[in-house]
Amino acid sequence: MPTIYDEATMARLYEWAANHRADYIASGGVRGHIMDQTFLGGHRYEPMLLLRYQGRKSGRTMVTALGYAIYNGEVIIAGSKGGDETNPAWYHNILAGGPLAFQVATQAFEAEWRELDGEEYEDAWRYMENANPIFTGYRQATTRKIPLIALKALGEIPVFTDPDA
Amino acid sequence: MAVIYDDETNARRKDWISTHLDDYISSGGAHGHIMDLRHNGGPRFVPMLLARYKGRKSGKTMITALGYTVHKGELVIAASKGGADVHPAWYLNIVAGGPIEIQVATQAFNATWRELEGEEYEAAWQVLEANNPIYTRYRTSTDRAIPLLAFTPLDDIPVFTASEA
């Protein structure tokens, strides 16, 4: 698992992440949109979304909380997994197809996605690093190319509920 | 007012702005954050915040809904006023001093602000134009430099209510 933080920071991040996802879903998006990343060396204000997709083996509905940026009018998420050497499970799952949706605060949308490539990737990655210093650390921590996915909002849908409830 | 819209579009736009503001405030931020502006020739996915400030002459508390772009942990707002040749009232009120608060969807914060200048202005302006081509039209429709304000959220505060507007 991720390596760029010390143990105390990692423990804090895990604890934060577990509470954050549950609270984002349970509150219907009233809480959880804005993350204070100063304890990770990041900004006071970074926005987070919920991504809903299907497990490629289990077929189960899953929800993951992820940071996002808006660049060229698209919602961009990064498969950084804290700088880990492997791609996150959500990335494999959305590549496998299946219905995709995302929620920003109290608004949820069906979504299309595409993976950024070539010059578009380079340009967007430069933007992501420039916009949020934690991405520089993630890039330096791994030899893999961290995937960038652009989400396109389609119709608005009801907010997510806990898929495991 | 040399806005880029014809009279009819401008009337519809004012109507939309007023309805949107009422709905954003009265829903506690559950509605109004992400707007589909394709009906006005805009993008599908436009994030909007509420800014609360004091009138520089009246001392009255005022709330305005504005499009924003998250850039380097700050929320950047353009004082575009539809490409008009004069600054919007909210900009004049904010730069006159007094407390500033912002609300993004269902989360509100007191905030500090600064005006972007020089290279920082150019970099942020490019991001705004890339996210929403309407800013290119605003820029080319007026001789004034459209000011960019950057807000940094501080502490969480209760969401805004209509009685304060």
Side-chain angles (χ1 to χ4, degrees):
Chain A
M1 273 310 284
T3 48
I4 73 165
Y5 304 118
D6 62 32
E7 266 176 55
T9 307
M10 276 314 297
R12 200 168 156 196
L13 180 56
Y14 278 125
E15 192 191 335
W16 177 87
N19 292 331
H20 171 256
R21 176 186 169 282
D23 192 43
Y24 201 147
I25 298 172
S27 70
V30 169
R31 295 182 298 272
H33 177 228
I34 310 302
M35 176 181 185
D36 184 343
Q37 294 188 344
T38 48
F39 77 101
L40 301 174
H43 296 130
R44 159 73 183 85
Y45 186 103
E46 287 296 341
M48 308 283 293
L49 57 73
L50 296 174
L51 187 71
R52 187 172 71 187
Y53 51 93
Q54 229 162 40
R56 65 195 180 285
K57 296 172 199 158
S58 66
R60 278 176 44 211
T61 298
M62 297 174 177
V63 175
T64 300
L66 298 166
Y68 73 91
I70 296 180
Y71 188 60
N72 284 337
E74 294 185 301
V75 176
I76 311 284
I77 52 177
S80 51
K81 204 180 176 183
D84 194 64
E85 280 298 341
T86 60
N87 284 321
W90 65 258
Y91 171 75
H92 294 294
N93 286 324
I94 69 168
L95 251 58
L100 188 68
F102 71 95
Q103 179 177 330
V104 171
T106 49
Q107 290 173 278
F109 309 89
E110 291 178 308
E112 289 175 348
W113 65 275
R114 65 193 182 92
E115 182 162 359
L116 299 185
D117 222 339
E119 234 173 83
E120 221 186 2
Y121 175 89
E122 299 304 328
D123 180 51
W125 181 265
R126 235 188 334 268
Y127 175 74
M128 300 290 277
E129 263 197 56
N130 184 39
N132 187 344
I134 71 173
F135 284 115
T136 305
Y138 294 160
R139 176 175 54 75
Q140 290 166 350
T142 178
T143 53
R144 82 185 155 98
K145 176 181 160 184
I146 294 173
L148 292 179
I149 301 289
L151 300 170
K152 184 180 170 191
L154 302 173
E156 203 156 337
I157 55 175
V159 292
F160 300 169
T161 52
D162 185 351
D164 301 319
Chain B
M1 289 246 306
V3 294
I4 66 170
Y5 305 105
D6 61 36
D7 283 351
E8 194 190 326
T9 309
N10 210 34
R12 199 158 33 105
R13 193 167 164 269
K14 280 186 176 155
D15 205 42
W16 183 90
I17 288 171
S18 159
T19 306
H20 171 253
L21 178 66
D22 290 348
D23 191 37
Y24 203 144
I25 297 172
S26 66
S27 70
H31 309 153
H33 175 225
I34 306 295
M35 297 312 294
D36 184 345
L37 297 185
R38 284 176 298 185
H39 63 281
N40 277 343
R44 161 71 184 88
F45 194 93
V46 180
M48 302 196 69
L49 58 71
L50 298 176
R52 187 165 65 184
Y53 52 91
K54 290 253 199 274
R56 64 196 182 285
K57 294 172 199 159
S58 66
K60 270 176 52 192
T61 298
M62 298 174 179
I63 300 176
T64 303
L66 300 162
Y68 73 91
T69 295
V70 178
H71 186 59
K72 299 191 172 196
E74 294 178 304
L75 295 111
V76 179
I77 314 294
S80 49
K81 204 180 179 181
D85 284 324
V86 295
H87 294 317
W90 64 260
Y91 168 79
L92 299 173
N93 285 324
I94 287 173
V95 298
I100 277 294
E101 291 148 327
I102 56 167
Q103 180 176 331
V104 176
T106 47
Q107 293 176 277
F109 310 88
N110 53 34
T112 58
W113 65 273
R114 65 196 185 98
E115 187 158 348
L116 298 183
E117 281 174 24
E119 272 175 40
E120 258 192 327
Y121 178 95
E122 299 304 328
W125 184 266
Q126 271 177 28
V127 175
L128 261 67
E129 281 199 26
N131 276 341
N132 189 345
I134 199 74
Y135 288 115
T136 309
R137 296 180 57 199
Y138 291 161
R139 176 172 52 76
T140 52
S141 82
T142 177
D143 290 332
R144 78 184 161 101
I146 294 175
L148 291 179
L149 294 186
F151 297 90
T152 299
L154 302 171
D155 317 298
D156 282 281
I157 58 171
V159 292
F160 303 167
T161 58
S163 61
E164 302 155 334

